[in-house]
Amino acid sequence: MKKAKPSPPLTALSLQGGGALGAYEYGVLKALYAVRGENFVPRVVAGVSIGAINAALLVGARTDAMAALDRLWREKLCVDAAFTPESAPAPAAGENACGIWGTRPGQYLSFFGNPGMYRLKPEYCFMPFCAPFFTSSVYDTSLLKETLAELVDPEKLNRPDKTRLIVTAVDVETGRQAKFDNAETTLTLDHIVASGSFPVSFPPTLIDGRYYWDGGIFMNMPVGVAANALEQIEADNPSAVREIILVSLHRTRGALPETLPAAAERFYTLLFSGKFALDRKLYGKYSAFVDVMQKIDAALPAASPIRKHEGYRDLIRHRKMDRVIVIGEEGTGAVGSGSDFTRRTLERRIADGFNDAMTCFCPSPE
């Protein structure tokens, strides 16, 4: 008698924010679909900032998701460095912001705009010294809206029965995190743009009378919302296996910066990676807590009055995450500046993300 084939795991993806480092996320996703097959469908995808943009294309691409992501990173968001010599290397492993040709020119090029994401506001072209007193942002993000409109079908963003899509932002006035979930609201392209409206570079995005900034301000790795959504899927199925795959774009450890640009890059890396490190520590405790609660529930007599307690019923709703995979903290990782959208650097990051993920998904036999 043949053994029943185990059901595939219920998978949630958590995609971090990090500007041009998002090319690494595309490489990871490319590897994931290569290993799991073209019919693989994540049940939850949560994204912040550039992670929200990648998530929108993964879930809502008008055509093939990988083809759309490839076009996004190799055409739409790419800033060509025509004056960079062919011998100029992309950032090497462990490098954060400094070779003469490795990262700085890319940062400077993207300062003038990105063809698929943003352009300088006219005020900064004609009266740069006065502009800060008349506008609250440097760039106009209408180009990003055009890119998303070309590559994403809004109807596909709103199929929670297939994939739960969640992006986060921050309400500018209240300072609270806003969760935009296709199981609770109809997502639009504005929700995706809002998640990537990083101040003060980009303007806040207006949605239903409220203004929103980048979700990374509050939490740059949306692992919490991904886990909460995943545990609601097949909650009554005791054999369900749940996994979360996180793509980390900011490593805690790094080289001592020797220049001002390198120091600024290191500061932003620590700012965003520190929150994720704290969240992972709490997550470990949470997982153990859920495991204990399930054991208590199994041992508690059916007639116990505790079962009627509202707090107890809420606690036992939680489900354990059986597997947590973090990609980006080992291997090459997403290196270089989040402002560097030059073709050479993006190609390197796509390859690094793919290779790191393949090493994780298909480890070499010892």
Side-chain angles (χ1 to χ4, degrees):
M1 183 176 178
K2 285 186 177 180
K3 274 189 176 182
K5 190 176 181 181
S7 299
L10 305 176
T11 305
L13 304 178
S14 180
L15 305 179
Q16 193 174 36
L21 300 178
Y24 181 89
E25 283 180 336
Y26 163 46
V28 171
L29 294 172
K30 191 175 179 182
L32 176 62
Y33 276 73
V35 170
R36 300 285 176 92
E38 60 181 15
N39 294 324
F40 167 71
V41 178
R43 298 302 300 273
V44 178
V45 179
V48 170
S49 198
I50 197 66
I53 294 170
N54 282 334
L57 268 70
L58 182 65
V59 175
R62 291 185 180 277
T63 55
D64 175 72
M66 291 302 113
L69 282 164
D70 195 79
R71 188 168 180 214
L72 176 75
W73 286 106
R74 288 196 162 105
E75 296 180 30
K76 291 294 185 178
L77 301 186
C78 181
V79 178
D80 282 307
F83 62 84
T84 303
E86 283 300 312
S87 59
E95 182 181 355
N96 278 322
C98 270
I100 295 283
W101 292 107
T103 302
R104 281 189 208 155
Q107 288 179 281
Y108 296 155
L109 281 173
S110 61
F111 172 81
F112 298 104
N114 184 296
M117 187 181 289
Y118 57 88
R119 61 165 69 93
L120 271 172
K121 285 187 172 180
E123 296 94 322
Y124 287 90
C125 296
F126 300 109
M127 48 177 190
F129 297 107
C130 299
F133 300 99
F134 297 97
T135 178
S136 63
S137 62
V138 179
Y139 300 101
D140 164 27
T141 52
S142 58
L143 291 174
L144 175 58
K145 187 81 173 285
E146 292 174 11
T147 296
L148 290 172
E150 180 180 341
L151 299 177
V152 175
D153 179 353
E155 288 188 12
K156 287 187 176 181
L157 294 180
N158 294 284
R159 297 176 181 175
D161 54 320
K162 182 179 181 183
T163 300
R164 185 105 168 250
L165 175 61
I166 305 168
V167 299
T168 62
V170 172
D171 187 303
V172 177
E173 294 174 283
T174 66
R176 295 177 179 175
Q177 183 186 53
K179 182 185 73 169
F180 301 125
D181 184 341
N182 68 357
E184 300 170 359
T185 189
T186 300
L187 295 184
T188 67
L189 300 182
D190 285 333
H191 292 102
I192 310 304
V193 174
S195 185
S197 296
F198 191 81
V200 292
S201 297
F202 301 152
T205 299
L206 178 64
I207 300 174
D208 297 331
R210 307 296 304 177
Y211 285 92
Y212 297 96
W213 268 337
D214 193 297
I217 299 171
F218 190 92
M219 177 59 72
N220 197 39
M221 175 64 85
V223 60
V225 294
N228 290 341
L230 188 61
E231 67 182 0
Q232 295 170 17
I233 297 173
E234 297 189 25
D236 297 327
N237 180 3
S239 63
V241 175
R242 295 175 175 81
E243 68 173 1
I244 300 182
I245 299 173
L246 305 94
V247 185
S248 176
L249 301 181
H250 304 278
R251 284 179 169 175
T252 303
R253 296 186 64 84
L256 181 69
E258 298 179 356
T259 66
L260 193 59
E265 197 66 40
R266 184 71 183 134
F267 165 71
Y268 280 111
T269 296
L270 291 175
L271 186 67
F272 293 126
S273 67
K275 291 180 180 179
F276 174 43
L278 175 64
D279 205 45
R280 285 191 70 189
K281 187 176 180 180
L282 291 173
Y283 176 81
K285 291 183 178 180
Y286 168 84
S287 184
F289 168 77
V290 171
D291 196 31
V292 169
M293 282 305 305
Q294 289 174 348
K295 287 180 170 59
I296 291 173
D297 186 57
L300 194 67
S304 173
I306 295 176
R307 292 188 176 277
K308 296 180 181 179
H309 193 285
E310 183 179 348
Y312 182 82
R313 291 200 303 269
D314 183 58
L315 288 172
I316 62 172
R317 287 193 195 104
H318 294 291
R319 295 293 178 267
K320 184 180 178 181
M321 299 299 121
D322 300 282
R323 186 161 60 236
V324 178
I325 301 170
V326 182
I327 299 172
E329 293 190 339
E330 302 294 335
T332 302
V335 298
S337 169
S339 301
D340 188 351
F341 286 89
T342 51
R343 184 175 302 280
R344 188 183 299 273
T345 301
L346 294 185
E347 290 287 353
R348 168 67 182 269
R349 287 177 183 150
I350 293 169
D352 289 341
F354 183 86
N355 292 334
D356 285 353
M358 290 300 287
T359 300
C360 180
F361 297 137
C362 306
S364 301
E366 295 183 1

